[in-house]
Amino acid sequence: MMTYMPAKTSRRTILSVFFAAFFSILLNAVAAIPPAEKLLPDDTLIVVGTPDFTALREVYNTSPQTRLLNDPAMKPIKDKFISRLKEEFVQPLERELGVKFDDFANLPQGQATFAITQNGWQGSADQPPAALFLLDVKGKSSQLKTNLAELRRKWVDAGKTIKTEKIRDLEFTSYMLSDKEVPKTLKKILAPGGDESAADSATNAPKSELVIGQFESLLIAGNSAKAVEKVVAHLTGGSAPALADVPAFEANRLAFFRDAPFYGWVNAKAFLDLFYSKPADKDSDTPNPLAMFSPDRLIAASGLGSMKTFAFAFQASADGSLGQFFVNAPESSRQGLLKLLPGDGKESSPPTFVPADAVKFQRSRIDGQKAWATLQKILNDLSPQLMSGVNFALDTAGAAAKQKDPGFDLQKNLFGNLGDDMISYEKAPRGTSLPELNSAPSLFLLGSPHADQLTDALKSILVLMNPAGAAPAEREFLGRKIFSVPLPALALTSGPGKSAGRNLSYAASGSYVALTTDAAMLEEYLRSGESQQKTLRETPGLVEAAQKVGGTSVGVFGYQNNLEVSRALFETLRKTAGTDSNNSAPLPGMEFPVAAGGFKDWVDLSLLPPFEQISKYFYFSVYSVSANADGLTFKMFAPVPPQLKKQ
């Protein structure tokens, strides 16, 4: 049997449900934590973060790089590294801090932001800038509250100092820290090889504070109560200016950050203003020979002083991942390198002579004559004496050339013949040894309206590079002259894995002068007009990928075949697995701050799988550099490898 409500009661019930739902939505909206730009103060210098850690975690977990690490073929080498990491760092640090990192691992849910604020800093160590960390745990606020309470208890039980204070009616705990209280494991990471006993005896070292508190689902941490208070003020209805009120930040946010799961921003102008506000060194009767390397002079001469902000953002889609880096330097105030780069927005795609097996390619449309004029100004601003030395060397080379050709004019024949096209490309190494990996065949092409004249002018300059002072050697190839001169041996190019001194070969062809240290590359280029080889521009997916970075009508366009570059690297690493190189970091930059027993105890290269087992995770990437009235933009796009799209 059905029961009917009176019309008046029915309407009252419907209205009650409606208002309950409305106020529920309203309360949830009020409870939502504002975005970082609404919380951070307007004196923020640096901010790096994500607006949604859950979304960022998903991007990370589905990326080709993470899928590679999780592939069963990588499990042996990955497990060994993680086991060593836990043994050397994670477990000792947990014991020293009295925490379990797993208790905090699932807390990040919403925004996670790290920031540096000026906080009264004027460039000196007396009043340092402040550091802030904001983390929204959303529905895990109770767990956060429990974890913070447990941290306070363990800190007090260990006999360490804490201080509880109210900041705008919110309770915060200040943990007093000194060098003596820094965990030994962290000391090993931050200062490997340091004297731990000396640090432990420093009882009079000044203490710093770490202020930690919670507002609803937001964790707030900082090294200054004053900086923390500015965040709390914005959370509790304060009207002080926030980072969102800074026009330069807001312009970058609207252009780059709105859909980005990860972003960063730097107030470059504020840093530069603080830097230049420092009093200049007093004049001295004795000139400083290193004055040209002083940061202020380098910044002024290079034109970096015209930077306003720097911003970057990372985005991911079903097609691939896109990284963007933006330097805000208005066109009207650009100087030095920023005024020169990236060149005019002309066609920058791979020409037809670039072969399909090129693993790296870059084309820049920088005007060579403008580049030389800019370089002269930079060198003169750094050191007039240095510019005088360069001019003396050029005059010497020009005078030597005039003895053979009285009508020779170095400025006209050399710099006057520079064009606006610079191309470089590289092939895979010819072998798997470290020297071969570090000296892959490559070719550089310099555009010129009169390539033959430019080649003749180069002969005069390159005489200075020949230790014997002899003219470059000449030979004929397909009706063209190839010149070669020995390169001087430099200390930086010697040692294990480095190439010995080689010859620089060059020749004119069409509207380019080609230069290389690999004669075979030069001969292949000179034959390219007669061959029917496949070209790089025919690479499947290249045109579509180029559109993601603004197309090829930009100042700079580049390409890298990550599949073949990684293949060469993997094969070289596998080859070193049975040698002493595996125990002493086979490649630069692979060292660890703490690695008892050597590199092999951390990364055993013999556990690397054959590259073919993991090749599906590698494809190619493209990048571009362009400019507009607001600044310079660098974009890089990596398409999802085709085999991963099928899975």
Side-chain angles (χ1 to χ4, degrees):
M1 183 177 65
M2 298 181 64
T3 302
Y4 294 93
M5 289 188 298
K8 185 174 181 181
T9 304
S10 177
R11 286 195 298 270
R12 184 181 299 131
T13 302
I14 293 173
L15 287 174
S16 299
V17 172
F18 171 78
F19 281 112
F22 174 78
F23 283 113
S24 175
I25 295 173
L26 182 62
L27 288 173
N28 285 333
V30 172
I33 299 298
E37 63 270 16
K38 298 289 188 179
L39 299 177
L40 295 173
D42 63 343
D43 67 343
T44 297
L45 299 174
I46 301 174
V47 58
V48 178
T50 174
D52 187 341
F53 199 93
T54 301
L56 181 63
R57 186 187 290 116
E58 177 64 18
V59 169
Y60 171 78
N61 289 335
T62 57
S63 70
Q65 295 79 13
T66 302
R67 294 172 71 178
L68 165 64
L69 292 176
N70 292 333
D71 190 285
M74 293 293 291
K75 188 176 189 303
I77 191 169
K78 174 187 173 183
D79 286 352
K80 183 166 187 175
F81 175 79
I82 292 178
S83 175
R84 189 68 173 176
L85 182 67
K86 289 182 178 179
E87 179 184 339
E88 287 283 330
F89 294 125
V90 177
Q91 293 171 354
L93 196 55
E94 286 182 333
R95 287 194 298 267
E96 292 168 6
L97 293 176
V99 299
K100 287 289 185 182
F101 293 137
D102 288 343
D103 294 340
F104 296 87
N106 65 345
L107 285 178
Q109 299 295 318
Q111 68 162 294
T113 306
F114 174 78
I116 299 292
T117 68
Q118 188 170 348
N119 199 40
W121 177 54
Q122 296 299 321
S124 66
D126 298 336
Q127 173 64 45
L132 289 169
F133 178 67
L134 309 176
L135 177 65
D136 187 0
V137 301
K138 292 194 172 180
K140 298 181 180 293
S141 58
S142 296
Q143 182 184 342
L144 174 61
K145 185 176 182 180
T146 300
N147 288 357
L148 292 181
E150 184 67 10
L151 177 62
R152 286 193 297 270
R153 185 188 67 78
K154 290 183 177 180
W155 194 270
V156 173
D157 290 347
K160 299 178 181 179
T161 305
I162 67 169
K163 180 179 66 174
T164 302
E165 60 181 316
K166 291 279 189 177
I167 299 179
R168 291 187 175 249
D169 295 329
L170 290 180
E171 185 175 291
F172 281 80
T173 302
S174 295
Y175 298 83
M176 309 309 295
L177 304 171
S178 70
D179 289 342
K180 183 180 179 181
E181 293 164 323
V182 174
K184 293 182 179 180
T185 303
L186 281 181
K187 290 179 183 177
K188 290 167 67 178
I189 299 173
L190 301 175
D195 186 352
E196 295 181 16
S197 61
D200 290 340
S201 63
T203 57
N204 294 324
K207 290 191 174 185
S208 57
E209 66 175 345
L210 178 61
V211 183
I212 300 178
Q214 179 179 353
F215 175 84
E216 296 180 356
S217 64
L218 184 69
L219 169 68
I220 308 168
N223 64 350
S224 164
K226 179 182 176 183
V228 167
E229 183 178 8
K230 294 180 180 179
V231 174
V232 176
H234 289 131
L235 285 167
T236 54
S239 59
L243 179 59
D245 299 315
V246 177
F249 173 85
E250 187 63 8
N252 290 166
R253 186 188 71 83
L254 293 174
F256 300 104
F257 304 159
R258 285 189 298 176
D259 300 319
F262 185 68
Y263 70 91
W265 182 82
V266 178
N267 189 337
K269 184 178 185 301
F271 275 111
L272 291 170
D273 287 348
L274 287 170
F275 185 82
Y276 283 119
S277 67
K278 289 184 177 181
D281 294 335
K282 295 181 179 179
D283 294 336
S284 173
D285 295 335
T286 304
N288 181 4
L290 300 178
M292 62 175 289
F293 299 110
S294 63
D296 55 341
R297 185 167 291 188
L298 286 170
I299 290 173
S302 64
L304 295 178
S306 59
M307 289 176 53
K308 304 300 182 185
T309 65
F310 171 78
F312 71 85
F314 172 82
Q315 294 172 300
S317 67
D319 296 326
S321 55
L322 174 68
Q324 299 186 77
F325 302 82
F326 176 70
V327 176
N328 177 215
E331 187 175 18
S332 59
S333 61
R334 283 178 215 157
Q335 299 293 329
L337 294 176
L338 294 185
K339 187 174 184 179
L340 176 66
L341 296 172
D344 296 331
K346 298 180 179 180
E347 180 56 43
S348 305
S349 62
T352 55
F353 56 74
V354 180
D357 61 349
V359 299
K360 295 181 182 179
F361 165 83
Q362 179 176 293
R363 188 176 188 183
S364 170
R365 302 313 300 261
I366 295 176
D367 188 301
Q369 296 184 41
K370 291 181 180 178
W372 171 239
T374 300
L375 179 60
Q376 284 180 296
K377 185 178 186 308
I378 290 175
L379 292 177
N380 191 65
D381 290 343
L382 286 174
S383 170
Q385 294 80 6
L386 177 61
M387 191 64 234
S388 296
V390 172
N391 287 332
F392 175 77
L394 293 175
D395 291 342
T396 301
K402 279 182 176 291
Q403 293 180 1
K404 297 181 179 180
D405 180 5
F408 181 83
D409 184 329
L410 185 66
Q411 292 292 332
K412 176 182 177 181
N413 292 56
L414 179 63
F415 302 111
N417 280 318
L418 295 176
D420 63 353
D421 200 358
M422 301 178 189
I423 298 172
S424 65
Y425 62 90
E426 180 180 305
K427 291 193 172 186
R430 292 197 170 93
T432 57
S433 67
L434 287 179
E436 288 169 321
L437 184 68
N438 291 325
S439 57
S442 62
L443 189 73
F444 176 75
L445 296 112
L446 190 60
S448 172
H450 306 287
D452 289 323
Q453 293 182 22
L454 181 57
T455 302
D456 290 337
L458 284 174
K459 288 195 302 182
S460 304
I461 295 297
L462 295 178
V463 167
L464 301 176
M465 300 177 61
N466 192 335
E474 300 183 19
R475 64 184 176 95
E476 292 281 339
F477 182 80
L478 298 180
R480 297 183 178 89
K481 287 185 178 182
I482 294 180
F483 303 92
S484 62
V485 60
L487 291 173
L490 300 175
L492 293 177
T493 61
S494 61
K498 299 294 183 180
S499 303
R502 294 171 293 175
N503 289 339
L504 175 68
S505 300
Y506 57 100
S509 177
S511 58
Y512 295 97
V513 175
L515 304 96
T516 182
T517 56
D518 190 293
M521 283 283 288
L522 181 56
E523 292 177 3
E524 180 186 88
Y525 164 69
L526 295 176
R527 287 194 300 264
S528 62
E530 303 173 358
S531 66
Q532 300 298 319
Q533 64 179 358
K534 287 188 176 181
T535 65
L536 181 63
R537 64 195 305 167
E538 298 175 86
T539 300
L542 181 62
V543 173
E544 293 79 5
Q547 296 307 310
K548 300 290 187 178
V549 296
T552 56
S553 295
V554 289
V556 177
F557 178 78
Y559 159 92
Q560 178 167 296
N561 186 333
N562 298 318
L563 174 65
E564 295 305 323
V565 169
S566 300
R567 184 194 307 276
L569 176 60
F570 262 71
E571 293 307 317
T572 300
L573 293 176
R574 281 169 53 84
K575 185 175 181 179
T576 64
T579 68
D580 291 339
S581 297
N582 189 189
N583 208 41
S584 57
L587 295 176
M590 297 180 69
E591 295 84 357
F592 289 92
V594 180
F599 182 85
K600 190 174 182 178
D601 282 354
W602 287 80
V603 182
D604 188 349
L605 299 178
S606 66
L607 299 177
L608 280 173
F611 185 73
E612 292 307 321
Q613 292 186 16
I614 55 173
S615 60
K616 65 182 179 181
Y617 298 105
F618 300 91
Y619 199 24
F620 72 85
S621 58
V622 295
Y623 62 89
S624 72
V625 185
S626 59
N628 58 23
D630 297 322
L632 284 66
T633 303
F634 172 86
K635 295 182 179 181
M636 175 177 285
F637 178 74
V640 173
Q643 292 189 58
L644 297 187
K645 284 187 175 182
K646 300 175 183 178
Q647 297 180 0

